[in-house]
Amino acid sequence: MAFDIHTLDYSEEILSAAGVDRKLLSRPVPSGTAAGTVTPDAAEKTGLSTAGGTVDELEALCREMVAGVNRYVDLVERDENGCCVVADSLPEDARAAMEKLAETYTFLDVYYPRPKAILWSEFLSYCNFTGIYSPFTGECQYNRLIPAYNLPHTVCHELGHAAGFEREDEANFIGFLACVSADDPGFAYSGYLLGYIYATNALYSADYDRFVTARKGLDPKASHDLDVNTEYWSHYKGKVAEVSTSINNNTLTFHGVEDGVQSYGREIGRAHV
């Protein structure tokens, strides 16, 4: 509360009244600014690397995602149309998944608000949004109408924002980790299937022949979920979606994310390590 939004700096008056030494506070910078680099010590502790991946590694990642999807595809509940469904306990299960992940990554040990399904979810679909996080109210909200396999990862993605990770690729990766580490097979399925989408999209651009080979291994039931997803979003193409995507892209670039909405796919670079 000591930050002055008008001067974009800390309020000396509030700091003085609270008895807080300014030297104890980090230097405020615009959203999306790189505040530092991964040190050798941090890389050793987390397993992170700044090195780029190869096409061979990308293909191996795709195979890993396919294996993960196929491992859980028969463990998720399905409706009479063969579509994946999720439990009503989704909000609580997502918080539990994030809290479990925080046992491994202690920087995620924060308070997580209860995610809420948005009543006006169809409007979000017209905007091509699956979820929203409000930094002003701390609320995580999700589109309740999207194909269900998206929901666990979407909710964990928004909770990643609540943990302080503004960048979409970082929230995507946190959502992936939370899902595949969760006890609920539905969450693991969601995480691996979203990972499969991002990984194969990247492989498609890098080597089409390898992409064709990689996708052949996916279980038909998972392919059905993807077909349902494609059919769902086909009904929401148009000017509203175009304007919404443009606004979202401009917002991201304004906050220092140079590749805008394309940053959602940068999760793959993290999944390589």
Side-chain angles (χ1 to χ4, degrees):
M1 298 300 291
F3 189 75
D4 188 330
I5 62 173
H6 300 291
T7 64
L8 301 181
D9 201 353
Y10 299 111
S11 167
E12 294 294 347
E13 181 180 358
I14 294 177
L15 292 180
S16 177
V20 176
D21 187 344
R22 184 187 177 92
K23 294 180 180 179
L24 298 176
L25 302 176
S26 59
R27 178 174 61 89
V29 296
S31 299
T33 299
T37 58
V38 178
T39 65
D41 182 55
E44 181 180 355
K45 291 179 179 178
T46 63
L48 293 175
S49 170
T50 57
T54 66
V55 177
D56 287 341
E57 290 173 326
L58 180 56
E59 183 181 21
L61 177 63
C62 289
R63 289 198 298 268
E64 183 179 345
M65 295 300 106
V66 168
V69 170
N70 293 347
R71 185 161 59 248
Y72 291 100
V73 69
D74 289 323
L75 300 179
V76 300
E77 294 187 33
R78 296 187 177 274
D79 62 18
E80 63 277 9
N81 297 315
C83 298
C84 173
V85 297
V86 296
D88 293 336
S89 57
L90 171 67
E92 290 77 15
D93 294 342
R95 294 173 73 184
M98 294 297 291
E99 289 166 358
K100 180 181 180 182
L101 185 63
E103 295 174 3
T104 301
Y105 301 102
T106 55
F107 56 82
L108 293 174
D109 187 12
V110 300
Y111 170 77
Y112 290 105
R114 185 182 188 279
K116 302 175 182 177
I118 297 179
L119 292 177
W120 36 281
S121 286
E122 188 162 17
F123 175 71
L124 253 66
S125 294
Y126 277 109
C127 294
N128 283 185
F129 283 175
T130 57
I132 296 176
Y133 171 69
S134 171
F136 304 106
T137 63
E139 290 182 302
C140 295
Q141 300 174 302
Y142 60 92
N143 184 335
R144 59 188 171 84
L145 299 179
I146 59 177
Y149 81 80
N150 291 283
L151 289 171
H153 181 269
T154 293
V155 177
C156 289
H157 169 108
E158 301 305 334
L159 290 174
H161 286 313
F165 292 84
E166 180 189 28
R167 297 180 68 98
E168 299 299 337
D169 54 332
E170 293 176 345
N172 258 353
F173 188 54
I174 289 173
F176 169 79
L177 289 178
C179 283
V180 301
S181 302
D183 297 323
D184 188 328
F187 272 69
Y189 179 68
S190 178
Y192 278 115
L193 193 50
L194 267 295
Y196 166 84
I197 293 172
Y198 284 114
T200 53
N201 283 347
L203 186 58
Y204 177 93
S205 299
D207 190 315
Y208 178 76
D209 291 335
R210 294 193 189 192
F211 158 77
V212 172
T213 300
R215 68 182 301 193
K216 287 181 180 178
L218 193 68
D219 188 285
K221 291 182 285 295
S223 296
H224 176 65
D225 282 328
L226 295 178
D227 291 340
V228 170
N229 187 67
T230 300
E231 172 66 18
Y232 177 83
W233 289 109
S234 70
H235 298 293
Y236 296 100
K237 293 180 179 180
K239 285 296 181 183
V240 175
E242 292 175 9
V243 171
S244 174
T245 299
S246 178
I247 292 174
N248 191 26
N249 185 71
N250 290 337
T251 300
L252 290 170
T253 54
F254 175 78
H255 286 287
V257 183
E258 295 181 359
D259 50 353
V261 294
Q262 299 301 317
S263 65
Y264 285 85
R266 269 195 268 119
E267 168 189 358
I268 298 308
R270 291 164 167 71
H272 267 304
V273 298

